[in-house]
Amino acid sequence: MDGTSNPSSRLAARVRRIKPSPSSAASERAAELRRQGRDIISFALGEPDFDTPEPIRRAAMDAIERGETRYTATAGTPALREAIAAKLQKENGLTYGAKEIIVTCGAKHAIFNALAVTLDAGDEVIVPAPYWVSYPDMTLANDGTPVIVRCGEEQGFKLRGPDLEAAITPKTKWLILNSPSNPTGATYSAAELRVVADVLLRHPQVMLLADDIYEHIRFDGTSPAERTHILAIEPQLRARTVLINGVSKTYAMTGWRIGYAAGPADLIAAMDMLQSQSTSNASSVSQAAALAALRGDQSFVPVWSDTYRQRVEHALQRVNAIPGLSCRTPGGAFYLFVNCGGLIGRQTAEGKTLQSDIDVTLYLLENAGVAMVAGSGFGLSPYFRISIATSMELIEEGCRRIAQAVAGLRT
Ligand SMILES: Cc1ncc(COP(=O)(O)O)c(C=O)c1O
């Protein structure tokens, strides 16, 4: 023994429990292959391919010029919190005061901190699967226990009342609900939200984390005001709901890192305290940009949504024409969650049998030069997620390559 300790034993148990995000890993693998000179089309990314609109970029530059480069209040500038309150009122019919809103470094940070201030060891968090990759790991990182509830394709990838009821125990602290969903695009109707709300009303210890980050990317032609928020359907849940949103997806501002949470004042105060002892405020310049985004012209939002819809329709047609693959029509967000069950058991030209969706995505990366994320990372197999937040040309070419690679498989 040389006395050197095992490096992994330095790490806290909460860190040893978690793993890197599979979607980031897939994007990084695609970037690495590109650096090696391979021609890779990435369908792995979870961010808009549009640039942040010019007035928003300009607002950030103006803020720098005005010297808005110092610390702000931990919970965000009063102006931005007011703009968030105005947005929630106008678009969602929900009334929140400044003390019930906190600005965070992206929506991800808001979710993490909401869990961090509420979970004790062994507390359970219900996560309907397929889920956004980070929910279970964020739960584990905060000493909680994710309780995964399978929501299969046959139920539209949505949580059903009896399954929710069966998953609730005295230790349940949260239900996480994400509509429209990453990775499936599943979108809950008012009636489906009513069912979820009714179950929650029977279990007062369960809090609701409503992740609304994709709320503006919808394909049913409705405006936000026409859509019903679960809190508008059941106002009694307000006292135990934390609503999560941000500017990343709607305004193509993923790199600016501005998200927010709205919820009961005691929870928001606890998040504020944790944030004051960790990251402090989100970037002052980004907050100025987010303010311009929320207060500015919104006319491009439905236009972008329509662009995503056209891409989704095109990609769906292509994917559903490939033998062995099938995909439901998503209600929103910018992903297709493709069933690749028909490829499992088939053999590559080298004689390797595809045994899982991970094998399928590796095969397509190597043989079609198309990167995507395996369904196992989202808690449901055999599927893969493709992001359509890329140009129509790349969608067309990527689907052509997938079709060709699939045709090269032996039955
Ligand atoms: C469902 C969901 N929630 C939250 C986030 C995080 O958003 P942000 O970039 O604002 O942290 C993402 C990003 O991929 C997401 O897909």
Side-chain angles (χ1 to χ4, degrees), residues 13-25:
R14 86 179 76 85
V15 170
R16 279 184 271 133
R17 280 195 289 266
I18 64 177
K19 58 185 182 322
S21 148
S23 38
S24 305

Side-chain angles (χ1 to χ4, degrees), residues 46 106-108 111 132 135 178 182 211 213-214 248-249 257:
K108 198 174 211 171
I111 300 167
W132 179 45
Y135 300 139
N178 172 217
N182 175 6
D211 183 347
I213 194 85
Y214 293 101
S248 301
K249 315 284 178 178
R257 310 309 302 134

Side-chain angles (χ1 to χ4, degrees), residues 61-255:
M61 291 186 264
D62 290 348
I64 293 173
E65 293 301 333
R66 281 196 307 273
E68 288 179 25
T69 53
R70 300 174 189 278
Y71 292 131
T72 71
T74 300
T77 62
L80 181 53
R81 276 180 284 159
E82 264 170 41
I84 292 165
K87 176 259 176 256
L88 293 172
Q89 187 72 64
K90 180 164 174 247
E91 294 188 343
N92 309 103
L94 303 173
T95 307
Y96 283 92
K99 288 203 162 78
E100 297 174 307
I101 292 170
I102 185 167
V103 177
T104 54
C105 308
K108 198 174 211 171
H109 186 212
I111 300 167
F112 190 94
N113 282 0
L115 296 176
V117 300
T118 50
L119 293 181
D120 283 317
D123 283 344
E124 295 174 358
V125 177
I126 296 179
V127 181
Y131 44 72
W132 179 45
V133 291
S134 293
Y135 300 139
D137 287 280
M138 285 192 191
T139 301
L140 289 168
N142 287 298
D143 298 334
T145 304
V147 174
I148 309 298
V149 179
R150 187 185 183 282
C151 304
E153 187 170 351
E154 67 288 351
Q155 61 197 69
F157 302 117
K158 288 186 258 190
L159 183 61
R160 290 188 297 211
D163 296 337
L164 172 58
E165 186 86 57
I168 294 174
T169 75
K171 290 193 156 187
T172 307
K173 227 158 204 167
W174 289 99
L175 162 67
I176 300 185
L177 205 65
N178 172 217
S179 172
S181 140
N182 175 6
T184 64
T187 304
Y188 286 73
S189 68
E192 288 161 341
L193 292 174
R194 178 75 256 165
V195 170
V196 170
D198 284 342
V199 176
L200 292 180
L201 286 179
R202 289 196 286 277
H203 300 276
Q205 87 278 16
V206 183
M207 297 186 283
L208 173 65
L209 194 142
D211 183 347
D212 301 336
I213 194 85
Y214 293 101
E215 74 167 330
H216 289 106
I217 307 172
R218 294 272 297 243
F219 310 134
D220 53 9
T222 56
S223 71
E226 290 170 273
R227 299 170 202 145
T228 325
H229 198 276
I230 188 162
L231 291 185
I233 291 172
E234 186 42 77
Q236 279 191 68
L237 290 177
R238 188 188 184 285
R240 51 181 162 122
T241 295
V242 172
L243 178 161
I244 304 288
N245 211 328
V247 295
S248 301
K249 315 284 178 178
T250 304
Y251 302 100
M253 291 178 70
T254 46

